[in-house]
Amino acid sequence: MVDTKLSTKNKPNVVTAQDVANLAGVSRSVVSRTFTENGSLSEATKQKVLKAAEQLGYQVNFLAQGLNRRRSQLIGVVVAHINDPFRSHLLEALLKEIQARGYQAMVTEVRPGDELDETMRRFTQYRVSGVIVTSGQPPEALVKECLQYSIPIVGINREIDLPKVDVVCSDNNAGAKLAADQLIAVGCRSIGWLNYKHSTWSGLDREKGFQSSLKGWLENKDYEYIEIQSERNGYEGGFLAAEQLIASGQRLDGIFCATALMACGFLDGMRKNGLDSPKDFHIIGFDNTPLTAQYSYRLTTIEHDVVETAKRALWCLESRARHEDMEQRVELIPVKLITRNTSPIHTQDS
């Protein structure tokens, strides 16, 4: 008969802070201070503890450490539609920045029908050091609960009308103006805007900025504005929108899309019907994801710097942790126009 119970000699040895203290010849509190950011020790003592920890293979239990002081080294991250190229690009940047600052990420994907408040409550149970929300509107009651535990929250690319919750987003108005100026500069007269029917806040903000930037030109009867709302989002939405435009008999010579993925879908949909960019029309997307630079697309797009977004989000969390009573801050990330094949830099007369 085989004994399925693990014997003690097969169990991995767990090295404790006391083991490190014994080997280094210091107290346990000295070990604790060595591995905390604000620990006050002489360099000689610190090196002695670090050498003993390395020799024993000691790993700091950040979760237990956090429970002791009611905070952990975890950063909660709420994401949705992780297969979207921009969202995965942003998540990658967030994970790198979180790790670079000495934290660990606790990522939860919120799917349609999932309750964001359940996710937020789980974060408070783990005593996370901060929460980054990239999808959904955090419930006010749970925001207050997080603040009671001194857990700062930051939202990315969304409007959050809650005090003490900071927001980091791309400068949508500036990006929309860059797109409008480019389409006008290359001689477009019939100009379209493409967005998902049930758009995100960012998409609506870009639409508002685009319309505002074109207002003066549209007062001239030589210019036309065409708004296309797709029943689907992402690539499929863009593809269907192209077929919808072709079926309507309308023609346009320039279009700005709420996202780069939608722009890629629209471009392929137009190609299916024998039209291509920039020969037949100019097209600009938003979010300079790796997909947009591929040869088959070479999409002109507005770049949203995800690395700077991640840095600013973590800065908001850490500064909010030090000064909890500050008013809400809205951090705008600068954008720039990346010109490629679908709308190269030239004017109609060049």
Side-chain angles (χ1 to χ4, degrees):
M1 182 175 179
V2 178
D3 186 359
T4 57
K5 294 182 181 179
L6 290 175
S7 67
T8 55
K9 65 180 180 180
N10 290 328
K11 293 182 180 179
N13 292 324
V14 177
V15 180
T16 67
Q18 188 60 56
D19 295 330
V20 176
N22 293 340
L23 181 60
V26 298
S27 67
R28 190 183 183 284
S29 64
V30 168
V31 175
S32 178
R33 295 209 307 276
T34 300
F35 292 98
T36 57
E37 191 173 337
N38 299 320
S40 176
L41 294 170
S42 69
E43 187 60 26
T45 301
K46 182 177 179 180
Q47 291 304 318
K48 185 192 299 184
V49 173
L50 291 174
K51 183 177 179 181
E54 182 179 3
Q55 183 176 335
L56 293 173
Y58 174 67
Q59 298 291 329
V60 181
N61 187 338
F62 284 120
L63 181 58
Q65 184 185 80
L67 292 173
N68 288 336
R69 68 174 191 275
R70 303 187 67 80
R71 292 280 288 281
S72 74
Q73 294 297 102
L74 295 170
I75 300 292
V77 182
V78 180
V79 299
H81 307 293
I82 197 62
N83 59 331
D84 178 278
F86 173 73
R87 294 175 188 270
S88 60
H89 195 39
L90 173 62
L91 179 59
E92 182 182 5
L94 285 170
L95 294 180
K96 286 182 178 179
E97 185 63 20
I98 287 170
Q99 292 175 1
R101 292 180 181 245
Y103 301 99
Q104 292 296 317
M106 182 178 180
V107 181
T108 298
E109 183 177 14
V110 179
R111 300 178 183 275
D114 287 352
E115 295 294 336
L116 180 58
D117 55 353
E118 183 178 329
T119 295
M120 296 284 287
R121 193 171 299 281
R122 189 179 307 119
F123 287 160
T124 61
Q125 291 170 347
Y126 274 90
R127 308 290 202 276
V128 295
S129 291
V131 174
I132 298 174
V133 179
T134 70
S135 180
Q137 171 83 359
E140 185 174 359
L142 281 172
V143 168
K144 291 180 178 179
E145 184 174 331
C146 284
L147 295 176
Q148 286 176 354
Y149 285 105
S150 298
I151 300 174
I153 303 172
V154 62
I156 294 182
N157 287 343
R158 57 201 54 262
E159 185 178 41
I160 300 179
D161 188 20
L162 292 172
K164 301 181 182 178
V165 177
D166 298 316
V167 175
V168 179
C169 62
S170 59
D171 193 337
N172 293 314
N173 285 329
K177 186 176 188 309
L178 287 171
D181 290 348
Q182 170 68 5
L183 293 177
I184 293 294
V186 296
C188 296
R189 296 297 181 101
S190 179
I191 300 174
W193 161 255
L194 173 59
N195 197 8
Y196 174 45
K197 185 177 181 179
H198 305 290
S199 177
T200 62
W201 171 83
S202 291
L204 294 174
D205 200 36
R206 290 163 194 171
E207 177 181 4
K208 182 179 176 182
F210 191 55
Q211 291 175 343
S212 177
S213 299
L214 289 174
K215 185 177 181 180
W217 295 97
L218 295 177
E219 291 173 355
N220 185 328
K221 293 183 179 180
D222 291 336
Y223 290 86
E224 178 186 15
Y225 180 76
I226 301 172
E227 183 174 315
I228 307 172
Q229 286 194 340
S230 178
E231 295 288 338
R232 301 283 296 276
N233 200 4
Y235 179 89
E236 294 81 2
F239 194 93
L240 290 174
E243 301 212 312
Q244 174 187 333
L245 180 72
I246 295 294
S248 73
Q250 289 180 300
R251 294 294 296 267
L252 51 74
D253 44 29
I255 186 167
F256 179 38
C257 303
T259 68
L261 188 58
M262 185 166 274
C264 291
F266 184 87
L267 185 57
D268 282 344
M270 295 296 278
R271 287 169 171 170
K272 180 186 175 186
N273 288 277
L275 300 174
D276 204 352
S277 177
K279 177 174 63 72
D280 300 302
F281 62 94
H282 287 252
I283 183 170
I284 301 174
F286 203 111
D287 302 327
N288 184 32
T289 62
L291 175 68
T292 63
Q294 292 180 3
Y295 184 81
S296 58
Y297 294 113
R298 291 173 289 164
L299 183 73
T300 293
T301 183
I302 305 299
E303 182 179 58
H304 174 184
D305 189 340
V306 294
V307 173
E308 181 60 28
T309 298
K311 289 181 182 295
R312 202 77 65 90
L314 268 294
W315 174 81
C316 282
L317 289 181
E318 292 184 332
S319 58
R320 173 69 62 182
R322 293 190 295 269
H323 306 286
E324 298 178 9
D325 296 326
M326 289 187 295
E327 295 298 318
Q328 182 189 61
R329 296 166 295 177
V330 177
E331 298 288 320
L332 293 180
I333 304 301
V335 296
K336 62 182 179 180
L337 179 70
I338 305 296
T339 53
R340 298 193 182 101
N341 184 62
T342 63
S343 187
I345 299 178
H346 69 273
T347 63
Q348 194 175 36
D349 299 327
S350 63

